[in-house]
């Protein structure tokens, strides 16, 4: 799979190659371009250059269409992955209600799933520390996890330990 950088680099080198082949050919095709060693100016090659404008425009249009299709496909994949993740964490374990979790989240972080405590120890909507987050199956930074996953992991913790992990807000 080509990365964006690799794709752009290939297009750049293809463009340079096309220019390297077309410009000298145009100079030779221009009137007086190949006889007696005279050098033809680009002004003399204007009719041939004009003839190439259509194919060049079609080439650029094809590239724009291809890039657009790639972006649309990536966007659709991202939406599908997000939807699948939301469906995975849609049902809360342990009979914990969303209202209970919303109350805890509002108290802990104002309901902000990206919240981070001032010292950086507690992260996300439920202010998990990394150890607690990992103990309920989370990985990475809790504040970077989707809100649905944070709700799911908080419900797991609540089902296991009750409100004790949130002594003030539980």
């Amino acid at each position: 799979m080509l990365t964006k950088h690799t794709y752009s680099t290939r297009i750049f080198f293809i463009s340079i190659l096309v220019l390297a082949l077309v410009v000298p050919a145009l100079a030779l095709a221009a009137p007086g371009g190949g006889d007696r060693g005279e050098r033809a100016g680009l002004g003399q090659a204007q009719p041939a250059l004009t003839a190439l404008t259509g194919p060049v425009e079609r080439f650029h249009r094809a590239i724009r269409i291809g890039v657009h299709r790639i972006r649309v496909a990536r966007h659709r994949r991202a939406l599908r992955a997000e939807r699948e993740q939301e469906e995975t964490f849609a049902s809360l374990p342990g009979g914990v209600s969303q209202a209970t979790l919303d109350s805890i989240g509002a108290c802990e972080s104002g309901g902000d799933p990206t919240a981070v405590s001032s010292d950086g120890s507690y992260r996300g909507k439920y202010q998990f520390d990394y150890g607690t987050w990992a103990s309920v199956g989370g990985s990475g930074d809790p504040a970077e996890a989707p809100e649905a996953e944070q709700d799911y992991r908080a419900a797991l913790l609540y089902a296991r330990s009750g409100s004790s992990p949130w002594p003030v807000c539980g």
Side-chain angles (χ1 to χ4, degrees):
M1 182 173 164
L2 294 177
T3 63
K4 182 178 180 182
H5 178 72
T6 304
Y7 182 76
S8 299
T9 303
R10 285 187 179 186
I11 295 301
F12 173 75
F13 284 116
I14 289 170
S15 300
I16 296 298
L17 180 64
V18 168
L19 285 174
L21 294 174
V22 169
V23 171
L26 290 175
L28 288 173
D35 52 343
R36 295 187 317 267
E38 296 175 11
R39 299 188 80 179
L42 284 180
Q44 295 171 325
Q46 193 63 33
L49 189 59
T50 303
L52 290 176
T53 303
V56 169
E57 285 302 317
R58 285 193 298 273
F59 173 74
H60 286 284
R61 184 172 184 272
I63 289 174
R64 284 192 304 272
I65 289 170
V67 168
H68 175 73
R69 287 180 180 166
I70 289 169
R71 287 180 180 155
V72 167
R74 284 182 182 162
H75 180 71
R76 286 181 180 161
R77 276 194 306 272
L79 288 176
R80 184 173 47 249
E82 184 178 322
R83 186 174 56 249
E84 288 171 358
Q85 190 170 32
E86 286 175 1
E87 290 170 1
T88 300
F89 300 116
S91 60
L92 297 175
V96 180
S97 72
Q98 186 62 49
T100 300
L101 293 177
D102 288 343
S103 173
I104 295 170
C107 177
E108 288 288 333
S109 66
D112 180 6
T114 63
V116 176
S117 66
S118 59
D119 66 354
S121 299
Y122 302 100
R123 310 177 74 77
K125 183 177 179 179
Y126 301 98
Q127 295 294 282
F128 285 102
D129 63 22
Y130 284 105
T132 305
W133 179 250
S135 76
V136 290
S139 64
D141 185 352
E144 292 179 4
E147 186 172 9
E149 181 178 0
Q150 291 184 42
D151 291 342
Y152 181 83
R153 306 268 177 232
L156 285 173
L157 183 60
Y158 194 92
R160 182 174 71 192
S161 305
S163 63
S164 64
W166 302 281
V168 175
C169 298

